[in-house]
């Protein structure tokens, strides 16, 4: 009579591969690395593009044309500001847990979307260029001619897209990512932990004995 093979008690359920936990760990590590890379690169691109020239034109004077140009910060301050917010949110994702992590990930996502939208709208905006032309000419209704746009608004939009990707990864996979150690978080009483126990007094030093007595401690205990 042949023996019936026994199934180990700790065997994985039928249909679930034995390597499922390892696969989930690798997927979590990949998503974490991709989010960090995308978020840092996106914020860097948005900040870089904000300081570059987005549009050029010329104001017409009696003596001829006066060239004018505007940077991304002149056109709109939204990409640069949201890039800083997004970078801070990317770091804060690892400082919070549960609902806080979801909220910060949502902020990261919205920052990326806001950068992309502001950059696309700023690509066709000539109000800042007209304002510079009016300042140069001295007329409030001065026009600007021969307007050309650079590719930097699209670089800022790409940066916003990368931040958006980082935020979506944090929303989907963030619950599996590690968090900062809670070793030094505040205790419910408001004190920071852990607290070190006071060192025992040196019985060979009378001043240490008196200090222990003043604190209401028994130095011989």
């Amino acid at each position: 009579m042949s023996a019936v093979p026994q199934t180990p008690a700790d065997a994985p359920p039928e249909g679930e591969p034995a390597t499922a936990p390892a696969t989930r760990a690798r997927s979590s590590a990949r998503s974490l690395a991709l989010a960090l890379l995308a978020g840092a690169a996106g914020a860097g691109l948005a900040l870089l593009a904000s300081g570059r020239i987005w549009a050029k034109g010329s104001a017409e004077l009696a003596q001829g044309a006066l060239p004018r140009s505007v940077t991304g910060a002149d056109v709109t301050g939204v990409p640069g500001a949201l890039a800083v917010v997004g970078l801070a949110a990317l770091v804060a994702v690892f400082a919070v847990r549960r609902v806080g992590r979801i909220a910060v990930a949502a902020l990261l996502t919205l920052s990326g979307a806001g950068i992309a939208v502001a950059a696309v709208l700023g690509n066709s905006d000539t109000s800042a260029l007209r304002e510079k032309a009016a300042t140069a000419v001295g007329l409030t209704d001065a026009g600007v001619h021969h307007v050309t746009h650079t590719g930097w608004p699209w670089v800022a939009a790409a940066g916003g897209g990368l931040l958006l990707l980082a935020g979506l990864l944090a929303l989907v996979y963030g619950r599996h990512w590690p968090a900062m150690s809670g070793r030094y978080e505040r205790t419910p009483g408001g004190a920071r932990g852990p607290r070190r126990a006071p060192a025992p007094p040196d019985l060979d030093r009378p001043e240490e004995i008196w200090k222990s007595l003043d604190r209401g401690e028994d130095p011989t205990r």
Side-chain angles (χ1 to χ4, degrees):
M1 184 174 178
S2 60
V4 178
Q6 299 294 322
T7 303
D10 57 349
E14 185 178 355
E16 182 179 351
T19 58
T23 302
R24 286 195 297 267
R26 287 194 297 269
S27 177
S28 175
R30 284 194 297 266
S31 64
L32 173 58
L34 180 58
L36 287 173
L37 181 62
L45 285 177
L47 288 172
L48 175 66
S50 295
R52 295 298 186 269
I53 294 176
W54 282 25
K56 298 178 181 179
S58 58
E60 295 297 333
L61 296 172
Q63 297 82 4
L66 181 62
R68 297 283 90 182
S69 62
V70 289
T71 65
D74 296 328
V75 176
T76 173
V78 173
L82 288 183
V84 176
V85 173
L87 194 59
L90 182 65
V91 176
V93 163
F94 303 99
V96 293
R97 297 179 177 87
R98 300 183 182 88
V99 179
R101 176 166 290 185
I102 295 175
V104 174
L107 177 61
L108 178 59
T109 305
L110 293 175
S111 297
I115 291 173
V117 171
V120 171
L121 294 178
N123 181 60
S124 57
D125 188 1
T126 59
S127 59
L129 196 57
R130 289 197 304 270
E131 183 179 347
K132 277 203 170 185
T135 302
V137 176
L139 300 174
T140 57
D141 57 347
V144 61
H145 306 278
H146 310 295
V147 177
T148 58
H149 298 276
T150 68
W152 285 108
W154 300 109
V155 174
L162 289 174
L163 275 173
L164 175 62
L165 174 62
L168 292 176
L169 287 172
L171 285 173
V172 176
Y173 300 102
R175 64 183 182 276
H176 302 300
W177 293 350
M180 291 182 181
S181 174
R183 182 179 177 184
Y184 296 102
E185 292 181 352
R186 287 186 178 274
T187 60
R192 290 186 182 274
R195 297 183 61 183
R196 295 183 178 180
D202 186 358
L203 299 181
D204 294 332
R205 301 178 62 185
E207 63 273 13
E208 293 293 333
I209 298 177
W210 284 112
K211 289 180 181 179
S212 298
L213 293 174
D214 290 339
R215 292 194 299 266
E217 300 173 357
D218 184 359
T220 62
R221 186 174 52 186

